[in-house]
Amino acid sequence: MRWRDRCSVIVGGGYRNSKRGRARKRAEGRSMRRLATGAIVLLVLAICALWLTGRGAFVEDGRGGSPEARAVSPDVVADRGANQRIAARDAGVARPKQILFGDLHVHSTFSFDAFQMSLPMAGGDGAHPIADACDFARHCSGLDFWSINDHAVTLTPRRWSETVDSIRQCNEVAENASAPDLVTYLGWEWTQVGTAPENHYGHKNVILRHLDDERIPTRPISAGTPPGMPSVQEAQPSPFLLGMFSLSQWNEGGPSFARYTTETTSVPDCPLGVPVRELPLDCREVAPTPEDLFEKLDDWGHESMVIPHGTTWGYYTPLGSAWDKQLTSAQHDPNRQGLVEVFSGHGNSEEYRPFREVLIAEDGARSCPAPSASFLPSCWRAGEIIESRCLVEGEGADECAERAEKARQDFVDADFNGGYAAVPGTEVKDWQDAGQCRDCFQPSFNYRPRSSVQYMMALGRADAAGDPLRFRFGFIAASDNHSARPGTGYKEVARTEFTEQRFGNFADGPLAAGGDREPRAESKSVELESVGTPFLVFEVERQASFFSTGGLAAVHANGRDRDSLWEAMKRREVYGTSGPRILLWFDLLNSPTGRPAPMGSAVRLEESPIFQVRAVGSFVQKPGCPADASSALQPDRLARLCQGECYHPSDQRRQISRIEVVRIRPQQTPDEDVGALIEDPWKVLPCPDDPAGCQVAFTDESFVSTGRDALYYVRAIEETSPAVAANPLGCRYDDRGRCVDVDPCLDRSDDDDCLAATEERAWSSPIFVDQVALQ
């Protein structure tokens, strides 16, 4: 082949190969572009899916639900009334009003803490909507009335609308409007948490009288977030972070958590300074102080009650908090705030004690008080823990004493952060019974005595006109249940379902806050300077053992209807019980009207008051559920809601062992020592060994000579019986009375109800007796 031909072949072949190569490269390029485009599309889709997951797009919103059960049989309601009339007659009560039992403090899973506890990741069994509470109140606990009180801060416009609708449906189930089997009130909880004693006001339930649109607010009124912290909307987490969390907890409620959080944080706070009826429909109404709350309620103009609760509960109440600052004409509205919750499933807030959990000087400087025979300050125990660790490490006594002193100071300076975090690596047992009221009846956790009901009732001031300014509260009790179960104290069963001890599950779950669960047990304390969360993991764990089945409100009403109940509560003719349905009458016999004045009355006398008390113990309960409840609820619903145990009274009553009388003479000037004005017990009146009840009378022969106004209330004490968490820490004491070892309820197995002996009781509302000469 000639050279030219060879070149032609070579060139031609090269050209053809070059074309094939370029085509192949173009094809490869297109393939790469398609792959890249596909990857980008997949990435975009993955990002969108993650974002949607973080927004909770793949699950439905929680609902208020519709009640499933019928009304209680009229025969059952009639039998309850007949049994009361027989007991009243035997106790010597001539013309008794009806005593109706209820629960004015109930949460559904619309509340953020209740919702979190319902998730599988926290050991929950799923949502408990308002409809559950309706059925439970009717057929599990057999109540006469109840109210819904979800945290207003998480009641979005949609949830509030669902709440109103569910409450209306619950009332519509009643067959007799003039004498319904169950009255259900609409309400919410104003949940205020301060970062320091001076800005802490605590929690209050708001109850509304009516249900029609014209007489209920467009939205509930929240306290917002703690002072100095971002608003709920400003704290909204990234959808991508929520999405990753949801994916990691897909089968444990992660997507539901994302949807709940997204809905809650998407609502902005309402603008300030705008009349309530001119506010946007889709905002969160905020009142940071009681004064703001009362002003907004006045602006709405609807009939409502405001009921403080959990006042001594140190879980969220800063060290050194006191109720003095609320006794002003601005921060207290006696027309709305006429009742107080003395006891709940969160513990007893009744009793005052002179101990201090922290010492605060006039200049604001803080220090740790020394322990006494009846109280071990938590700050002091912090120092003991650090000192003990230091000595074990072989350090000198002087060095360890200095570290202990610093630990005590770090604890009291921690404030909102929680002083326990100042001592790294502790366990529940390390703290023994520090911070607890040792001689109180089933006290709330980390007791704050200057926020107790007795302390409130002993306060006295003069208003701008020089007239006495005091708290004149009627007393009730409640459950503060967070699983839509009103009135769980009817039986001491189902600790992990009927109480909030499930909160302890947060300590080890994915929702835990507070960092490393097992930090090193250092021999030096940690200074906590920045504001953090008040709900540290350790406190959740220790606190959980203190939750009980809770109490009840009892109302002496002229009828079973909504208005009769409301009017009785307004006149304070109410009392509270620690759970059992004790019957209690407390009257002033020599009232100026010539007729006995019942509990809650306020009178003026110029002679010694004479009082009478009649009390009848509660019915011993039979196991299981009565026929009416079993036929009203489907078996699976009866098992889930009631845990197979309902209010099921026998015909045997427990005995009343004694009547305790408390006398309080309110301050005449703010500098008077409150402790000297509270006499508890002032009198102890034994009762006969008689199941028919107890009748006693007493007088205050020194009333006139003291020249002071006074209030009197009684406690009717039942015979000893077992109760859930009556001994929450299970302390073992040494010869000096020091708790040296604990066996807390939280560490028990789920089938152990942590029962301990207690004396169940009823607290009457006070009778207020003023001196005529002082008016």
Side-chain angles (χ1 to χ4, degrees):
M1 182 180 292
R2 290 182 300 179
W3 177 83
R4 179 183 302 174
D5 294 335
R6 289 178 178 174
C7 286
S8 176
V9 169
I10 293 172
V11 172
Y15 175 73
R16 287 191 298 271
N17 288 339
S18 175
K19 287 181 66 176
R20 285 196 295 270
R22 287 194 299 271
R24 185 170 56 251
K25 287 181 180 180
R26 285 195 298 271
E28 290 175 352
R30 286 193 297 271
S31 176
M32 290 299 295
R33 285 194 295 273
R34 284 195 294 269
L35 286 174
T37 301
I40 292 171
V41 170
L42 287 175
L43 179 61
V44 171
L45 289 174
I47 292 173
C48 290
L50 183 64
W51 187 88
L52 289 171
T53 301
R55 300 286 293 181
F58 303 112
V59 292
E60 295 182 354
D61 289 316
R63 299 293 180 182
S66 299
E68 299 181 19
R70 57 164 170 80
V72 177
S73 165
D75 292 339
V76 172
V77 176
D79 285 345
R80 292 174 187 169
N83 287 331
Q84 269 194 28
R85 289 191 293 274
I86 293 171
R89 181 197 63 199
D90 293 345
V93 182
R95 293 183 296 275
K97 300 182 179 75
Q98 298 183 62
I99 299 179
L100 303 178
F101 291 96
D103 189 352
L104 295 176
H105 193 171
V106 182
H107 294 266
S108 76
T109 41
F110 277 169
S111 289
F112 63 91
D113 43 1
F115 171 79
Q116 290 176 358
M117 277 197 300
S118 75
L119 297 173
M121 69 179 78
D125 66 344
H128 283 279
I130 295 166
D132 280 5
C134 179
D135 288 346
F136 188 95
R138 273 197 162 91
H139 298 292
C140 301
S141 55
L143 297 183
D144 300 304
F145 65 94
W146 72 285
S147 69
I148 190 66
N149 306 99
D150 282 314
H151 297 291
V153 71
T154 50
L155 285 177
T156 62
R158 183 193 65 82
R159 291 178 191 147
W160 178 244
S161 177
E162 293 259 350
T163 298
V164 173
D165 185 55
S166 292
I167 294 301
R168 286 172 175 165
Q169 290 185 56
C170 188
N171 281 288
E172 289 168 0
V173 172
E175 297 177 349
N176 184 348
S178 62
D181 67 314
L182 179 70
V183 173
T184 302
Y185 288 101
L186 177 65
W188 68 82
E189 180 177 312
W190 182 82
T191 312
Q192 197 273 346
V193 178
T195 57
E198 55 270 19
N199 61 27
H200 179 80
Y201 297 97
H203 299 183
K204 303 174 191 284
N205 286 326
V206 179
I207 316 292
L208 302 172
R209 180 170 185 167
H210 300 290
L211 283 175
D212 51 295
D213 286 337
E214 292 73 22
R215 291 184 288 184
I216 62 175
T218 301
R219 66 194 71 76
I221 303 167
S222 156
T225 53
M229 297 191 72
S231 70
V232 175
Q233 188 181 43
E234 290 170 341
Q236 186 173 29
S238 162
F240 297 108
L241 292 177
L242 274 178
M244 288 187 287
F245 177 82
S246 296
L247 291 173
S248 71
Q249 301 293 322
W250 187 263
N251 294 321
E252 299 297 317
S256 296
F257 177 80
R259 190 173 187 90
Y260 181 93
T261 303
T262 297
E263 179 180 354
T264 302
T265 56
S266 64
V267 179
D269 287 353
C270 297
L272 300 176
V274 178
V276 293
R277 286 178 174 80
E278 298 176 15
L279 291 170
L281 297 177
D282 58 349
C283 64
R284 177 180 290 107
E285 196 164 348
V286 175
T289 69
E291 178 180 7
D292 299 319
L293 174 64
F294 294 131
E295 286 180 354
K296 284 183 172 292
L297 290 173
D298 287 343
D299 194 1
W300 280 112
H302 305 314
E303 289 188 76
S304 63
M305 293 182 188
V306 177
I307 306 174
H309 66 267
T311 55
T312 60
W313 194 32
Y315 176 58
Y316 71 91
T317 304
L319 296 169
S321 292
W323 256 67
D324 303 66
K325 63 182 174 295
Q326 297 199 48
L327 186 54
T328 69
S329 56
Q331 302 290 3
H332 171 55
D333 181 353
N335 294 319
R336 297 190 188 276
Q337 192 169 249
L339 303 178
V340 66
E341 188 182 289
V342 298
F343 180 87
S344 77
H346 290 47
N348 181 18
S349 292
E350 175 205 5
E351 298 164 279
Y352 172 74
R353 293 294 183 267
F355 64 73
R356 295 289 180 268
E357 66 274 19
V358 65
L359 299 177
I360 303 178
E362 291 186 5
D363 63 357
R366 302 179 178 208
S367 60
C368 181
S372 65
S374 61
F375 183 67
L376 173 61
S378 295
C379 54
W380 194 271
R381 181 60 188 153
E384 290 179 339
I385 295 170
I386 290 296
E387 187 171 25
S388 175
R389 292 174 178 176
C390 178
L391 292 172
V392 167
E393 290 180 356
E395 299 289 346
D398 290 344
E399 170 65 20
C400 293
E402 288 182 8
R403 292 187 187 181
E405 178 61 31
K406 182 178 183 299
R408 290 192 284 270
Q409 193 62 44
D410 286 342
F411 188 104
V412 298
D413 287 342
D415 209 359
F416 191 66
N417 294 277
Y420 298 90
V423 185
T426 58
E427 300 177 359
V428 169
K429 65 180 181 181
D430 294 326
W431 295 94
Q432 301 174 350
D433 65 348
Q436 312 313 317
C437 184
R438 291 174 176 167
D439 61 347
C440 293
F441 170 75
Q442 294 183 216
S444 60
F445 176 68
N446 279 353
Y447 207 75
R448 305 289 188 248
R450 291 195 299 157
S451 293
S452 66
V453 172
Q454 288 182 345
Y455 185 85
M456 298 176 199
M457 305 303 282
L459 294 174
R461 304 284 185 272
D463 63 16
D467 297 323
L469 181 61
R470 299 167 185 159
F471 294 118
R472 287 197 161 174
F473 292 138
F475 296 171
I476 64 168
S479 71
D480 198 355
N481 182 271
H482 280 62
S483 59
R485 291 184 169 105
T488 41
Y490 59 90
K491 285 180 180 175
E492 297 299 322
V493 296
R495 173 177 62 90
T496 58
E497 297 297 330
F498 282 8
T499 80
E500 272 52 71
Q501 294 200 11
R502 301 182 310 284
F503 269 127
N505 295 335
F506 287 140
D508 297 306
L511 293 175
D516 188 356
R517 290 291 301 129
E518 296 182 357
R520 181 180 175 184
E522 301 284 352
S523 63
K524 293 183 179 180
S525 58
V526 177
E527 295 180 14
L528 302 174
E529 297 179 355
S530 61
V531 172
T533 172
F535 308 128
L536 291 177
V537 168
F538 173 73
E539 286 296 88
V540 172
E541 190 173 5
R542 190 172 182 232
Q543 150 71 36
S545 294
F546 284 74
F547 290 118
S548 72
T549 55
L552 287 176
V555 179
H556 288 267
N558 290 314
R560 294 188 58 86
D561 60 287
R562 171 183 302 273
D563 291 335
S564 295
L565 276 162
W566 189 270
E567 292 302 327
M569 290 189 285
K570 290 295 288 184
R571 63 177 181 262
R572 299 185 298 245
E573 201 171 344
V574 300
Y575 63 94
T577 86
S578 55
R581 285 164 217 205
I582 299 168
L583 305 180
L584 178 62
W585 297 265
F586 175 43
D587 300 288
L588 173 70
L589 296 182
N590 58 333
S591 165
T593 65
R595 300 185 304 273
M599 62 178 74
S601 298
V603 303
R604 299 189 184 110
L605 283 183
E606 50 186 357
E607 62 180 350
S608 297
I610 304 170
F611 301 96
Q612 185 178 50
V613 185
R614 277 80 59 91
V616 181
S618 63
F619 283 119
V620 174
Q621 294 293 302
K622 295 189 289 187
C625 296
D628 188 60
S630 297
S631 65
L633 293 171
Q634 294 295 321
D636 57 343
R637 191 156 176 79
L638 191 76
R640 182 174 185 250
L641 290 187
C642 313
Q643 297 294 299
E645 294 289 347
C646 307
Y647 179 68
H648 195 185
S650 69
D651 57 3
Q652 177 187 354
R653 288 189 180 272
R654 293 190 177 93
Q655 294 186 12
I656 301 295
S657 65
R658 66 188 182 278
I659 302 295
E660 296 178 346
V661 184
V662 178
R663 181 176 74 172
I664 299 176
R665 293 175 290 178
Q667 291 174 320
Q668 293 180 334
T669 59
D671 57 351
E672 281 190 285
D673 175 26
V674 164
L677 305 175
I678 300 169
E679 297 166 278
D680 179 15
W682 177 55
K683 292 180 183 289
V684 178
L685 307 172
C687 293
D689 187 6
D690 185 354
C694 179
Q695 303 178 46
V696 296
F698 64 92
T699 185
D700 183 358
E701 296 178 350
S702 65
F703 172 73
V704 175
S705 62
T706 62
R708 299 185 70 111
D709 298 342
L711 64 92
Y712 309 80
Y713 71 91
V714 299
R715 293 188 290 251
I717 311 297
E718 270 194 344
E719 62 180 296
T720 300
S721 61
V724 171
N727 182 12
L729 291 176
C731 271
R732 180 174 64 81
Y733 296 93
D734 63 15
D735 295 338
R736 300 173 299 160
R738 183 73 179 261
C739 175
V740 293
D741 193 18
V742 297
D743 181 20
C745 291
L746 185 64
D747 288 351
R748 313 286 182 89
S749 62
D750 286 351
D751 59 358
D752 182 345
D753 284 328
C754 199
L755 298 174
T758 192
E759 292 181 308
E760 305 282 12
R761 60 198 57 201
W763 296 265
S764 78
S765 283
I767 295 177
F768 304 88
V769 185
D770 293 344
Q771 298 274 347
V772 171
L774 296 181
Q775 303 304 317

